[in-house]
Amino acid sequence: MLLVPLLAAAGCGAGGAPNWAEPTPATSTSAAPDFTASSPGPENADQPAPTATRPRAGLPHVFPVRATKVAYHPTHSAYPGTDIFADCGEPVVAVTDGTIGEVSRRDRYDKRGPQGPHNGGLSVSVLGDDGVRYYGSHLTEVAEGIDPGVRVRAGQRLGTVGRTGNANNVCHLHFGISPPCLGEDGWWIRRGVVWPAPYLDSWRKGGNREPATEVAAWHRRHGCPEKPRAR
């Protein structure tokens, strides 16, 4: 049974009621924003992010969870991101065409340990061909064959909704949008830097609003921060 009444108690964060705004039409340009790494010194992660390629605009984008019963907040606690609530076991899919980046098949979260690096539990990121990194965590499982460097298409199954990491025993997908920041692999970037809800609103209704321009603007302002901002 979907735990919609527990939306405010989710482990990732809380916010207002789900936002079902009308989708904003896609605004594609002839060339997508160009992302470049600006911070050396990779963190010890399961796998490194893949090599960047020239971003492309106009790619299809789809909602990251395939479920009849689904809800999400337009906001999130402490940093931009979205918790998408659905039953455990529902499919999590690639938002757009791209290459698998970081993959974690182990739940290393310990509430007695440092908070942040392993909060996501089982997780997958996709470096979209649009130059944007899409991150999903708290998975029950990562699909077979989903490994760093593997090519995926929009809608391809990556894993299933779960409650690993700091999900507080609530089934949901934490979804984050960020620049790839190749060579940095900071969890504080990967978890999300721009608000996903406007894009989710569009994709859920069959629209194709693209986050590349907003992500590129954030990246120009902030680069790849070497540590998370103080709360």
Side-chain angles (χ1 to χ4, degrees):
M1 194 70 177
L2 181 63
L3 301 176
V4 174
L6 294 178
L7 289 177
C12 285
N19 180 9
W20 307 120
E22 288 299 315
T24 300
T27 54
S28 300
T29 58
S30 58
D34 192 9
F35 295 93
T36 56
S38 60
S39 182
E43 178 191 31
N44 290 326
D46 281 0
Q47 288 92 17
T51 301
T53 57
R54 182 73 180 177
R56 294 192 290 127
L59 295 170
H61 292 74
V62 300
F63 195 80
V65 176
R66 287 197 169 159
T68 302
K69 297 179 180 179
V70 64
Y72 55 93
H73 289 303
T75 59
H76 190 274
S77 66
Y79 62 90
T82 296
D83 292 336
I84 302 174
F85 296 87
D87 291 335
C88 280
E90 295 285 18
V92 173
V93 302
V95 165
T96 194
D97 299 350
T99 303
I100 298 297
E102 304 93 343
V103 177
S104 174
R105 284 187 162 87
R106 292 183 294 149
D107 188 354
R108 294 178 287 177
Y109 176 70
D110 184 345
K111 64 181 179 181
R112 297 166 298 181
Q115 299 302 295
H118 307 308
N119 285 12
L122 276 64
S123 61
V124 176
S125 73
V126 173
L127 177 58
D129 290 345
D130 56 0
V132 176
R133 176 168 51 182
Y134 301 95
Y135 170 72
S137 64
H138 304 313
L139 305 178
T140 295
E141 63 177 358
V142 177
E144 184 177 354
I146 297 301
D147 298 305
V150 169
R151 291 286 302 166
V152 292
R153 303 291 299 223
Q156 184 173 334
R157 186 174 175 274
L158 303 177
T160 56
V161 173
R163 50 191 176 193
T164 57
N166 72 335
N168 281 350
N169 206 35
V170 177
C171 298
H172 70 284
L173 175 76
H174 172 80
F175 181 68
I177 298 176
S178 67
C181 285
L182 303 180
E184 174 60 30
D185 189 34
W187 55 266
W188 54 90
I189 304 170
R190 186 168 60 243
R191 68 187 181 181
V193 301
V194 302
W195 293 106
Y199 304 101
L200 294 171
D201 291 344
S202 172
W203 304 337
R204 193 163 190 257
K205 292 181 176 292
N208 197 42
R209 185 170 182 175
E210 300 181 51
T213 298
E214 184 181 4
V215 172
W218 184 95
H219 193 220
R220 285 193 299 271
R221 290 194 304 271
H222 302 282
C224 292
E226 295 182 358
K227 59 182 179 180
R229 289 188 295 178
R231 294 188 180 182

